[in-house]
Amino acid sequence: IIGTRTISKTKGVSDDLSVCNKCGLKTPFGLNHTWRWFTFFFIPIFPYWVSRMIICPHCGSVFRVNRNNEYDVLAHLEEHLE
């Protein structure tokens, strides 16, 4: 009973409106983390893959964020949180 499981969490959503490069609409963006976990008896044991991305809530476009820029993106989002 060995397998994998994907867990996603939103780290923050900005109230500041940014323009999506794909659909061209002004919309608030959020930073999402996705982890793929190795499981044993359906219990997550350790993550073996991590992805950081910004997703447009209107069109669903995904923009990858590398680990080096993640803190800059989070700082920008925190500036515009209520």
Side-chain angles (χ1 to χ4, degrees):
I1 305 247
I2 298 172
T4 63
R5 178 179 182 185
T6 302
I7 299 173
S8 296
K9 291 191 179 182
T10 300
K11 287 288 208 164
V13 177
S14 173
D15 288 334
D16 182 31
L17 299 178
S18 299
V19 177
C20 175
N21 292 340
K22 187 126 185 181
C23 67
L25 293 176
K26 281 189 168 185
T27 183
F29 285 90
L31 178 64
N32 295 333
H33 278 199
T34 302
W35 296 271
R36 192 161 299 149
W37 288 77
F38 172 77
T39 61
F40 185 67
F41 285 103
F42 306 105
I43 299 171
I45 303 298
F46 62 88
Y48 66 89
W49 180 78
V50 177
S51 176
R52 298 156 186 87
M53 61 193 87
I54 296 174
I55 300 175
C56 175
H58 178 69
C59 68
S61 295
V62 176
F63 305 99
R64 300 245 180 234
V65 176
N66 67 27
R67 190 173 17 185
N68 298 331
N69 294 340
E70 175 187 5
Y71 296 108
D72 295 336
V73 172
L74 276 174
H76 175 74
L77 290 175
E78 287 175 358
E79 288 175 6
H80 301 287
L81 290 175
E82 289 185 331

